[in-house]
Amino acid sequence: MNRTRQWIRWWLVAGLALVLGGCGFHLQTGATIPSKLTGLRVAGTGPSGGTLAQAVDRALQRDGNYAQQGGPLLQIDNAYVSQRIISISPGSGVALEFLDTLHADISVIGSDHKILLASQPLLMENSFSYNSGNPLATNEQQVTSQRLLMEQGARQILRRVLNSPVFRQQAP
């Protein structure tokens, strides 16, 4: 009896997968790139510009967009990360919590060198706590926090660009 139930469940799952696959259902992997932005290239300036540009480029590639020499340019200017101490231990005076802030300006320039999206500021924040039990872990925490900040910044940039009225695809 138990084995029969397993087979029934397996066939139900297989049948559901076939039905959903046949109707065009797919898991979301990213946003669809509008035709105006096909072949979008990404460039960055500033201390964190290259890292942020790479994060945006990876996200675009996951969605099937590969940079082309004559494609439009997503420009990330003056990208840098600042860090502030936001919590200090009253007993030892040691910093316990930090706030990393990503600053940048983003714009999109068309292949004809016209400004498609005017420059706009980007500001992303991420906090992390200091592990006083393992002082050597602080550097690893900081690296992980900044990597997360870059990925969040890349998603925010793409969200802004792809949802901009300039690039929003018209419904048929």
Side-chain angles (χ1 to χ4, degrees):
M1 181 76 171
N2 195 18
R3 191 139 171 91
T4 304
R5 283 187 183 169
Q6 276 184 321
W7 278 104
I8 291 172
R9 286 182 187 159
W10 187 88
W11 282 107
L12 284 173
V13 170
L16 185 62
L18 285 172
V19 169
L20 288 176
C23 74
F25 174 82
H26 64 281
L27 294 175
Q28 184 176 358
T29 57
T32 303
I33 304 297
S35 58
K36 278 186 176 181
L37 294 177
T38 302
L40 183 67
R41 298 173 293 140
V42 184
T45 64
S48 299
T51 307
L52 184 55
Q54 288 173 352
V56 172
D57 198 42
R58 279 192 305 273
L60 284 167
Q61 287 179 10
R62 279 193 300 268
D63 197 37
N65 180 76
Y66 295 94
Q68 296 173 356
Q69 188 62 30
L73 176 66
L74 170 58
Q75 185 67 42
I76 303 169
D77 290 318
N78 306 319
Y80 67 95
V81 176
S82 63
Q83 187 176 77
R84 286 188 343 209
I85 297 171
I86 57 175
S87 175
I88 297 176
S89 169
S92 65
V94 174
L96 296 175
E97 192 174 10
F98 298 90
L99 180 68
D100 287 341
T101 306
L102 172 63
H103 307 264
D105 294 309
I106 60 170
S107 61
V108 178
I109 302 166
S111 54
D112 55 358
H113 302 290
K114 290 184 181 177
I115 296 174
L116 299 177
L117 183 64
S119 182
Q120 52 182 263
L122 172 73
L123 187 68
M124 298 288 301
E125 294 180 331
N126 191 26
S127 65
F128 74 96
S129 300
Y130 172 72
N131 182 354
S132 60
N134 186 1
L136 295 177
T138 302
N139 288 340
E140 184 61 34
Q141 287 173 308
Q142 184 175 4
V143 168
T144 302
S145 174
Q146 288 191 2
R147 186 179 320 119
L148 177 64
L149 188 62
M150 292 298 160
E151 290 173 10
Q152 290 172 342
R155 284 193 300 270
Q156 179 66 23
I157 288 170
L158 288 176
R159 202 173 299 124
R160 283 191 192 180
V161 170
L162 297 177
N163 290 327
S164 169
V166 175
F167 304 117
R168 196 172 301 141
Q169 291 181 329
Q170 300 297 325

